[in-house]
Amino acid sequence: MIAFVARRLALVVPVLLGLSLLLFVWLRLLPGDPARALLGERATQEGIDRVNHLYGFDRSLPEQFLLFLGRLARGDLGSSIRTGQSVVDSFLERFPATVELAVAGLGLAVVAGIPLGYLAARRRGGPLDHLSVGASLLGVVVPVFFLAYLLKYVFAIRLGWLPTAGRQDVRLDATHPTGLYVLDGVLTGEWDAAWDALRHLILPAMALGAIPLAIIVRITRASVLEVMNEDFVRTARAKGLTRAVIRRRHVMRNALLPVSTTIGLQAGALLAGAVLTETVFALNGVGEFLFTAVNHLDYPVLQGFVLFIAVIYAIVNLLVDVSYAVIDPRARQR
């Protein structure tokens, strides 16, 4: 197992180096000038030259890239052109909001998706199967931002059941030791703050979890149907094993292999930042800050945040590979 994990970790280094180069080239190909974006319409040539010199934009592209790699090796990702705050501090400040949203959205998708997919497979061709397949198709097709605005309009504006935006009521004097507002309320015993944070999280989690939910339902259904037709399942039935034992030991254990991979990929994608969901609900997470950085051509933020996200994505997928190898030892030989 240690050798398996080491091989996976070794693959991360060249991936990050290649991503750094592609990201650097892509940012320099974007139209616009970061100095002009910072200084605005009344920017003078002297001010532009000063900003370019301050951030090294007046150097050649190869020299800029080498300087970037040198700072990266020291753990220095620079400072935001727009706010002046350290890129690392900016990421750590906003990442808890994205983690909380991603965990809530993925948790909703897993808790609802696996049982629905399994029940749809067991009742293949029935009303529940048709409803699950149709709803999963709808969940994949409907854009996230449209669903977010629809949920916001119905449950927050028309019915008034849930808050419209933000992570917590600003009038609450809550303590945030971890930045995860729901967990903070539980740890500090501020139950009113935890409940308020949970209410703010429901609509964004539903919007963000819609696509993963649809994917998990379809993957689970297809995987269960495939396993139920395998020879070892028919053999188990012939031996007289109960349905509960067959489902638990033979069907679900094998059917969850592709589902676990799908969940891991979805987790990495959600942690990469839900730009649209965070923007609609004003959650001040990684995705919303990246959206602002793109508009202002904030190179240090874009480079640093994307690399952070890539590392997190690699770690999540490593954990998925390890769990897959634990469930199916044959995966260690691949």
Side-chain angles (χ1 to χ4, degrees), residues 69 88 91 158 167 182 227 230 242 252 279 284 286 308:
L69 289 181
V88 176
F91 184 85
R158 296 291 296 180
R167 298 184 64 197
V182 176
V227 172
E230 292 289 344
T242 64
M252 290 306 299
T279 302
N284 194 28
V286 171
F308 269 125

Side-chain angles (χ1 to χ4, degrees), residues 56-325:
F57 298 146
D58 55 348
R59 300 172 181 265
S60 65
L61 292 181
E63 190 174 0
Q64 289 184 48
F65 182 66
L66 292 176
L67 289 174
F68 168 68
L69 289 181
R71 292 195 303 269
L72 181 62
R74 298 192 302 270
D76 178 15
L77 296 175
S79 301
S80 169
I81 298 175
R82 185 172 58 91
T83 66
Q85 187 181 21
S86 166
V87 172
V88 176
D89 293 340
S90 298
F91 184 85
L92 295 178
E93 178 183 331
R94 290 162 178 82
F95 190 56
T98 300
V99 170
E100 191 171 54
L101 175 59
V103 169
L106 187 63
L108 175 65
V110 171
V111 170
I114 293 179
L116 282 175
Y118 175 72
L119 292 175
R122 281 192 60 195
R123 293 165 175 80
R124 183 180 183 183
L128 180 60
D129 185 24
H130 294 309
L131 181 62
S132 299
V133 172
S136 63
L137 286 173
L138 187 64
V140 173
V141 170
V142 175
V144 173
F145 72 90
F146 177 80
L147 180 60
Y149 278 118
L150 181 62
L151 292 172
K152 188 175 181 178
Y153 176 75
V154 174
F155 294 102
I157 297 175
R158 296 291 296 180
L159 298 177
W161 292 352
L162 296 168
T164 57
R167 298 184 64 197
Q168 201 168 56
D169 193 330
V170 295
R171 294 170 294 183
L172 288 175
D173 185 18
T175 307
H176 301 301
T178 67
L180 304 170
Y181 284 11
V182 176
L183 179 61
D184 290 341
V186 174
L187 293 177
T188 59
E190 299 173 348
W191 301 106
D192 56 338
W195 172 244
D196 185 72
L198 183 61
R199 292 180 69 245
H200 280 79
L201 192 60
I202 291 175
L203 291 182
M206 290 174 63
L208 186 64
I211 292 179
L213 171 60
I215 294 173
I216 290 172
V217 168
R218 294 183 66 82
I219 294 295
T220 303
R221 177 184 178 274
S223 182
V224 170
L225 286 175
E226 181 181 358
V227 172
M228 288 175 66
N229 292 322
E230 292 289 344
D231 292 337
F232 62 83
V233 175
R234 287 193 288 269
T235 302
R237 292 196 191 105
K239 288 181 177 180
L241 296 179
T242 64
R243 291 185 177 181
V245 172
I246 294 174
R247 293 168 191 164
R248 184 177 66 254
R249 292 184 181 178
H250 300 284
V251 176
M252 290 306 299
R253 183 173 182 179
N254 290 279
L256 285 178
L257 291 175
V259 176
S260 63
T261 303
T262 302
I263 292 173
L265 293 174
Q266 293 300 314
L270 295 183
L271 287 173
V275 177
L276 297 175
T277 307
E278 291 179 0
T279 302
V280 171
F281 292 100
L283 296 181
N284 194 28
V286 171
E288 186 185 23
F289 198 67
L290 271 175
F291 177 75
T292 306
V294 170
N295 289 333
H296 291 84
L297 295 177
D298 199 338
Y299 289 172
V301 169
L302 291 171
Q303 292 174 160
F305 273 40
V306 172
L307 286 177
F308 269 125
I309 291 168
V311 171
I312 294 168
Y313 194 90
I315 292 173
V316 170
N317 280 276
L318 174 63
L319 295 176
V320 172
D321 289 341
V322 171
S323 63
Y324 198 101

